[in-house]
């Protein structure tokens, strides 16, 4: 297997966690006899500082011509005053749009030895294993009209929540297909009691479900879902929802597992996918060797399995993460009594060592 991976570390902790994931990918290539080429490029605030835009043409061209993109995080206080159109976050949205990454898969699984790291009680979170399938290139993130305009009284800010049949159909299919590889349950999350776009969402999901009679489909309003996720998260297998609801619910789901520093994600479309931790650039801890690299290393494992169909390699990385946690190594975000506190690099090294020995 030969593949080119665009490495976009971005800002803040992105610069620290991405090299740890690349370490594991290099080791996987060597151990299993593949040729992976890593090509770095600037994105987000780093690109704004150098070139003046968050998503330079060269970076986009590289992403388009690569087999997959590994991304760290973008953004930080330094760029917060900038106009929306040139903020670091625009790079992420631009990549998603330009690469056609309409489906964002965010698995939330509890590592048993981390059950004490969650803010929720052990009996509530034990055994959770769910997958958020978030629509990623539509909805209120991209809907038009949008903008801020002056009015006689002041200003008016507008965004539009919009979904077409086609957009709902393709994300529903991803969710039903994913459910077939899991416990065959899909919960579609909407706000159909208030929003017309949600009414259509629900109708189309029910339509698509006709092709998946072996999968159980239920529906939940998003406010209830936010509540059920902390009340009884084990009831969920696959959650499928819109861009904005998925953004919010996936952060909530992440926290069930103890730390947002643990959760990977895959954004997929028809060509190269993008693999990134679900957390942000965490400027408060950036540059201090404190960030947890596990979400990014697990994202690299998703890259191997989803993009390159290297399931064995991906599982070996996942096992190495598991083993390292069993050995008691913890970054600060998941630290607990009787564990060994390590930094970003040491955590990466420990996982690498377990991978090489595994
Ligand atoms: C995420 C992030 C992004 C989003 C931001 C950084 C644009 O929160 O990937 O969940 O809102 O989609
Ligand atoms: Mg988010």
């Amino acid at each position: 297997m030969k593949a080119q991976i665009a490495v976009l570390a971005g800002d803040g902790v992105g610069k620290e966690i991405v090299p740890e994931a690349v370490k594991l990918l290099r080791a996987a290539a060597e151990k299993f006899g593949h040729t992976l080429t890593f090509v770095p490029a600037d994105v987000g605030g780093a690109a704004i500082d150098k070139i003046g835009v968050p998503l330079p043409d060269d970076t986009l061209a590289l992403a388009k011509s690569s087999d997959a993109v590994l991304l760290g995080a973008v953004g930080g206080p330094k760029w917060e005053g900038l106009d929306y159109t040139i903020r670091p976050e625009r790079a992420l949205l631009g990549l998603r749009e330009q690469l056609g990454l309409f489906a964002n898969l965010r698995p939330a699984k509890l590592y048993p030895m981390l059950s004490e790291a969650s803010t929720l009680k052990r009996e509530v979170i034990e055994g959770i294993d769910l997958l958020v399938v978030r629509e990623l290139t539509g909805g209120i993130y991209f809907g038009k009209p949008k903008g801020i305009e002056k009015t006689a009284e002041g200003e008016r800010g507008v965004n539009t929540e919009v979904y077409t049949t086609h957009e709902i159909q393709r994300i529903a299919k991803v969710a039903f297909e994913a459910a077939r590889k899991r416990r065959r349950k899909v919960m579609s999350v909407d706000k159909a009691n208030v929003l017309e776009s949600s009414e259509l969402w629900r109708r189309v999901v029910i339509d698509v479900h006709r092709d998946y009679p072996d999968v159980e489909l239920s529906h939940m309003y998003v406010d209830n879902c936010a509540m059920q996720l902390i009340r009884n998260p084990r009831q969920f297998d696959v959650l499928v929802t819109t861009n904005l609801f998925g953004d919010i619910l996936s952060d909530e789901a992440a926290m069930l597992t103890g730390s947002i520093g643990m959760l990977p994600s895959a954004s997929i479309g028809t060509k190269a996918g993008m693999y990134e931790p679900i957390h942000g650039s965490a400027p408060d801890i950036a540059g201090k060797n404190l960030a947890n690299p596990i979400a990014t290393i697990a994202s690299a494992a998703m890259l191997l399995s989803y993009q390159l169909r290297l399931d064995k390699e991906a599982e070996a990385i996942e096992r190495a993460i598991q083993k390292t946690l069993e050995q008691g190594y913890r970054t600060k975000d998941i630290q607990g009594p009787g564990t060994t506190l390590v930094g970003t690099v040491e955590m990466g090294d420990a996982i690498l060592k377990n991978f090489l020995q595994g």
Side-chain angles (χ1 to χ4, degrees):
M1 153 77 63
K2 272 200 178 106
Q4 174 176 302
I5 298 167
V7 180
L8 314 182
D11 308 317
V13 298
K15 292 200 185 68
E16 298 168 81
I17 53 184
V18 164
E20 300 309 311
V22 171
K23 264 200 263 194
L24 265 296
L25 286 172
R26 281 192 200 284
E30 191 157 320
K31 186 166 175 177
F32 291 86
H34 306 297
T35 309
L36 299 183
T37 321
F38 301 91
V39 188
D42 291 313
V43 74
I48 295 175
D49 288 351
K50 264 200 209 162
I51 302 154
V53 291
L55 181 57
D57 292 343
D58 288 353
T59 302
L60 181 59
L62 170 72
K64 282 187 170 164
S65 66
S66 297
D67 298 292
V69 179
L70 179 68
L71 188 126
V74 296
K78 184 173 175 194
W79 306 283
E80 259 160 29
L82 293 177
D83 189 80
Y84 270 89
T85 53
I86 55 158
R87 284 232 193 138
E89 288 78 3
R90 281 286 129 192
L92 259 190
L93 301 175
L95 282 164
R96 290 171 182 173
E97 189 179 23
Q98 294 292 319
L99 298 174
L101 306 173
F102 66 88
N104 183 215
L105 310 183
R106 299 187 159 183
K109 196 173 173 172
L110 183 74
Y111 290 93
M113 52 285 191
L114 291 188
S115 58
E116 300 302 329
S118 175
T119 49
L120 279 92
K121 292 200 195 92
R122 175 194 277 268
E123 61 264 32
V124 174
I125 54 168
E126 230 159 26
I128 60 163
D129 179 7
L130 59 88
L131 174 70
V132 178
V133 176
R134 169 189 177 193
E135 199 290 326
L136 203 60
T137 50
I140 200 162
Y141 274 56
F142 293 93
K144 295 207 175 93
K146 67 191 241 168
I148 301 178
E149 57 193 31
K150 297 240 182 307
T151 65
E153 296 81 39
E155 284 178 292
R156 187 170 171 267
V158 183
N159 288 94
T160 304
E161 170 80 350
V162 51
Y163 273 110
T164 63
T165 313
H166 167 70
E167 287 173 317
I168 305 166
Q169 280 170 340
R170 64 183 183 181
I171 193 73
K173 279 185 199 151
V174 170
F176 288 123
E177 295 288 343
R180 278 189 169 158
K181 297 192 191 121
R182 300 172 46 97
R183 302 194 302 282
R184 294 179 185 253
K185 273 168 58 175
V186 170
M187 178 66 74
S188 172
V189 182
D190 62 37
K191 189 70 186 172
N193 50 345
V194 178
L195 305 176
E196 281 81 358
S197 58
S198 271
E199 187 189 317
L200 180 69
W201 176 279
R202 189 175 285 215
R203 221 179 333 114
V204 174
V205 171
I206 290 171
D207 263 1
V208 175
H209 179 234
R210 286 187 229 289
D211 294 333
Y212 300 87
D214 53 315
V215 178
E216 181 191 318
L217 171 67
S218 325
H219 306 272
M220 211 176 245
Y221 297 139
V222 63
D223 49 349
N224 184 28
C225 183
M227 195 256 288
Q228 295 294 336
L229 264 174
I230 47 174
R231 195 186 75 88
N232 175 20
R234 264 192 306 269
Q235 68 185 291
F236 298 111
D237 179 19
V238 175
L239 288 152
V240 61
T241 191
T242 61
N243 205 342
L244 180 64
F245 296 163
D247 179 45
I248 299 165
L249 295 177
S250 60
D251 268 30
E252 197 188 350
M255 217 35 223
L256 297 173
T257 68
S259 169
I260 197 163
M262 299 292 296
L263 288 214
S265 83
S267 302
I268 55 179
T270 45
K271 297 171 297 230
M274 186 157 79
Y275 300 81
E276 57 177 312
I278 88 154
H279 62 74
S281 59
D284 53 325
I285 60 163
K288 299 180 180 160
N289 195 36
L290 286 175
N292 185 345
I294 293 182
T296 315
I297 294 174
S299 301
M302 285 185 96
L303 185 159
L304 293 176
S305 69
Y306 282 77
Q307 195 77 51
L308 308 179
R309 306 275 161 220
L310 301 175
D311 289 334
K312 208 165 62 232
E313 292 78 347
E315 280 160 25
I317 292 182
E318 279 155 14
R319 273 199 310 277
I321 295 173
Q322 170 108 12
K323 176 125 187 260
T324 307
L325 292 170
E326 276 163 13
Q327 290 164 341
Y329 293 108
R330 300 283 188 276
T331 41
K332 198 147 182 258
D333 54 314
I334 50 173
Q335 197 189 359
T339 60
T340 310
L341 181 64
V342 292
T344 311
V345 174
E346 293 72 31
M347 180 60 100
D349 285 343
I351 296 171
L352 179 65
K353 189 168 168 215
N354 284 319
F355 176 79
L356 293 172
Q357 286 172 359

